[in-house]
Amino acid sequence: MGFQAQQDQWNALDVSRETLDRLQAYGDLLVKWQAKINLVSNSTLDDLWTRHLLDSAQVYPYLPENCKTLVDIGCGAGFPGLVLAIMGVEDVHLVDSDARKMAFVREAARVTETQVTIHNCRIDDLKESGFADVVTSRALANLEKLLSFSAQLRKPDGRCIFLKGRKAEDEIKDARKVWDFDCETEQSLSDPEGQILIIERMTPK
């Protein structure tokens, strides 16, 4: 496994050699655990650097300059939250109800020497509220539900960054029936049909 095929994209993200080494360790551990636990789709293992690591890392440039606390909901095997923590986000909270996946995330954080806060629970069961500068998610739910999930977690001026596929525009239209929000879309580096949604000023109708 390597990142050579995407080297231009990684160079554009200005990722250090040390960080790439830690991401390599993360990926290697995932492949090892995947033999016993279904962490990601087996079909994506041969392209792990693009489908999961680069897909997560591309969020980093869209974080606000004052981002200190990031909450990744439905993090699964740690994407994108753990990758962003490895890249230097200070206070990352990873939320998922799957105990086996969170056991992997704990070990991956240990192996990569990355400080994160792990919440092995449902989003609705989180005791914390209104503390996130940024809420992220990937492949958890449609946009309307993600905005609802994030409402209890983000600060009033917080930002949401969600990774979406080819149905992103439809999800935006559906979500606008329930929410008022500002949304910028950026082309994904990892998926020709993917979109990065950067959302601010969210209020329910």
Side-chain angles (χ1 to χ4, degrees):
M1 184 180 69
F3 69 99
Q4 286 78 11
Q6 304 86 29
Q7 195 161 1
D8 288 344
Q9 289 97 321
W10 285 103
N11 288 342
L13 293 173
D14 195 26
V15 181
S16 70
R17 180 74 254 178
E18 178 186 0
T19 297
L20 288 171
D21 287 344
R22 292 167 70 198
L23 291 172
Q24 180 77 59
Y26 180 14
D28 289 346
L29 185 69
L30 188 147
V31 172
K32 181 179 178 180
W33 277 57
Q34 181 74 13
K36 294 183 179 180
I37 299 175
N38 187 32
L39 296 168
V40 298
S41 171
N42 283 321
S43 64
T44 66
L45 286 180
D46 289 339
D47 200 15
L48 189 61
W49 273 88
T50 301
R51 296 288 296 274
H52 299 293
L53 297 174
L54 178 63
D55 191 53
S56 299
Q58 68 180 332
V59 170
Y60 193 85
Y62 303 107
L63 300 176
E65 291 185 4
N66 63 345
C67 178
K68 293 183 178 179
T69 301
L70 181 148
V71 180
D72 184 24
I73 54 177
C75 71
F79 303 116
L82 184 54
V83 171
L84 296 172
I86 291 171
M87 293 177 72
V89 180
E90 292 181 21
D91 182 23
V92 174
H93 295 249
L94 304 172
V95 185
D96 202 288
S97 61
D98 189 317
R100 295 196 303 169
K101 288 182 178 179
M102 294 309 265
F104 165 75
V105 170
R106 285 189 185 90
E107 180 63 7
R110 186 191 68 80
V111 167
T112 59
E113 299 181 345
T114 306
Q115 179 63 47
V116 292
T117 301
I118 292 174
H119 303 270
N120 185 194
C121 64
R122 293 169 53 85
I123 299 165
D124 292 341
D125 293 333
L126 273 178
K127 296 179 181 179
E128 295 86 348
S129 64
F131 70 110
D133 297 303
V134 175
V135 177
T136 59
S137 189
R138 184 182 85 141
L140 174 64
N142 63 41
L143 181 57
E144 179 188 336
K145 289 183 179 178
L146 290 176
L147 292 175
S148 296
F149 288 146
S150 69
Q152 74 179 78
L153 303 173
R154 59 181 172 77
K155 295 177 180 178
D157 60 347
R159 177 179 297 181
C160 291
I161 305 177
F162 300 134
L163 296 164
K164 287 292 179 181
R166 63 182 181 274
K167 295 182 179 180
E169 292 301 324
D170 290 337
E171 290 193 31
I172 292 171
K173 290 179 183 178
D174 289 341
R176 289 197 188 281
K177 298 173 184 177
V178 183
W179 291 87
D180 284 320
F181 55 89
D182 296 339
C183 179
E184 294 183 16
T185 62
E186 297 288 344
Q187 176 64 47
S188 170
L189 295 176
S190 59
D191 178 1
E193 297 184 326
Q195 297 287 328
I196 307 167
L197 307 187
I198 303 103
I199 303 176
E200 295 181 323
R201 288 179 282 278
M202 296 146 275
T203 56
K205 290 187 174 180

